[in-house]
Every structure is written in C-alpha cells, then in structure tokens.
Amino acid sequence: MKIVVVILVVSGIVLLTVNLLLRNRLKTLPVYGMVGIAAGLRSKYIRAIIGIMLIIFGGIFVYVIAGQQTTSVVTVGDGYINVESPCFVSLGTLLGVKGNKNVTSEEIDTASVRQIGSGNFNLQKQSGTNFDDTNVGRFTLGNGATAYVATTNTTSLIIRLNNGEYLILGTADTQALADSFAQNVHPLTS
C-alpha cells in the first residue's frame, strides 16, 4: 500500500512537471510524440488533470495510512515504561517503521497527570500526526522542549526526563495508566 502512495504522488508530480514546465522543450524530441501517442495523452489538459488526480489520490492514501498506523503500544513494567509507535520516527508512519521509546525509573525527573494543549504543554508537531485529541509523534512543547507523545486525551501522563525531554501518554482511561505507572515505575507529583 505504501509503495502505491509513492508511485501515485511521484507519477503525478512527474506528469505535471513534464506537462507544465518542460512541455515546449520535450516537443522538439522525437520520443515525445511517440510517448504521447502511445499513452493517448496528446492534450496538455488531460495530462494536467491526470497529474493532479494522481497527487490527490496519493494524498488520500497517505491520510488513510497515517490514520491506521497511529496506534501506539504502551507497556508498563517493573521500573520501566516502553512506548512503541510508528510516529516516533520521521516518515515512520508512511514507511511502516516503528520507533521505540523506553524509559527507566532512573531516567525520570518528575511525573504528573495534567492537561495538554496550552502554556508549557502546547504541542507543535515535528513529525507524526495530530487530529482532534489524538497526538502521536515527536512534538515541541510551549517551553521549547522535545516531547514524545502518544495520547488520545487532553488529560495525559506527563513524564519529564532528566535530559529535559518529555514523554506524554494518554488513553481513554489515563488515570488507570497513571496509577499503574506510579505503582511500577515512578511516583507522581501534584
């Protein structure tokens, strides 16, 4: 499916580029006429419309793939929390690559349950996806810090690491996640 997206978008861009920018130069080449006749694309308007449609279909496929692959897996264990998400890697969603963020209790400075979306916890996407309350990927916070985010809730478990980065997690039941985290990994602060 991912290769289809790449083929659609690249084909659309190439077709538009050839049609709009290089059309006059290519007309002087004997191959141009043969390709145009063989493909049945003699009209510049037909080529432009097909190019635009290919790019639009590629964009729709990217949106569908991004929506399907924002699922993150959070594992809370004795002394650690692990998050696996395709959005933690640049282009991971499109390419199907999953990033892994493992944090041990020794790496944690503070942890608390708070609201995100304003002030120091305003999210600006670096890579990943964000729509409605779903934010998954790498973000820059309002205070300039980098955050690895995997949340479907504005109320989230916010973990500040010793290196200044953040791990922000939230589910439909963020409190249950926070309770498990507090019991197994690190105590919560108010």
Side-chain angles (χ1 to χ4, degrees):
M1 180 76 141
K2 295 168 192 114
I3 194 73
V4 171
V5 172
V6 172
I7 290 171
L8 285 173
V9 172
V10 169
S11 298
I13 291 171
V14 167
L15 193 58
L16 279 176
T17 302
V18 168
N19 189 50
L20 299 175
L21 300 177
L22 306 175
R23 183 172 29 104
N24 290 334
R25 282 192 167 161
L26 290 176
K27 281 184 179 179
T28 62
L29 298 174
V31 175
Y32 179 78
M34 291 185 296
V35 170
I37 292 168
L41 301 175
R42 297 284 296 168
S43 169
K44 64 181 179 181
Y45 300 112
I46 292 174
R47 287 190 301 269
I49 290 169
I50 290 172
I52 291 168
M53 288 175 54
L54 288 172
I55 293 170
I56 290 171
F57 285 134
I60 291 169
F61 281 128
V62 167
Y63 181 77
V64 169
I65 288 172
Q68 291 174 346
Q69 294 188 353
T70 57
T71 304
S72 301
V73 177
V74 178
T75 306
V76 176
D78 190 23
Y80 74 92
I81 187 165
N82 182 287
V83 184
E84 189 177 296
S85 175
C87 293
F88 283 179
V89 180
S90 294
L91 298 178
T93 303
L94 184 60
L95 302 175
V97 177
K98 290 201 175 194
N100 192 25
K101 187 70 175 167
N102 190 56
V103 176
T104 62
S105 56
E106 293 81 27
E107 297 174 83
I108 298 171
D109 181 29
T110 61
S112 60
V113 176
R114 295 189 180 183
Q115 294 289 94
I116 60 169
S118 64
N120 284 341
F121 299 109
N122 188 36
L123 302 176
Q124 182 178 355
K125 182 175 69 169
Q126 291 177 15
S127 65
T129 189
N130 63 329
F131 54 93
D132 293 332
D133 289 337
T134 299
N135 295 288
V136 182
R138 290 185 56 183
F139 290 77
T140 300
L141 297 178
N143 63 6
T146 296
Y148 293 87
V149 181
T151 184
T152 58
N153 197 336
T154 57
T155 302
S156 298
L157 172 62
I158 299 175
I159 304 166
R160 185 178 191 279
L161 305 178
N162 293 329
N163 66 5
E165 292 181 338
Y166 286 79
L167 180 62
I168 300 176
L169 307 170
T171 66
D173 191 357
T174 299
Q175 192 57 52
L177 173 64
D179 292 343
S180 177
F181 176 84
Q183 182 179 3
N184 295 294
V185 185
H186 193 276
L188 299 177
T189 58
S190 301

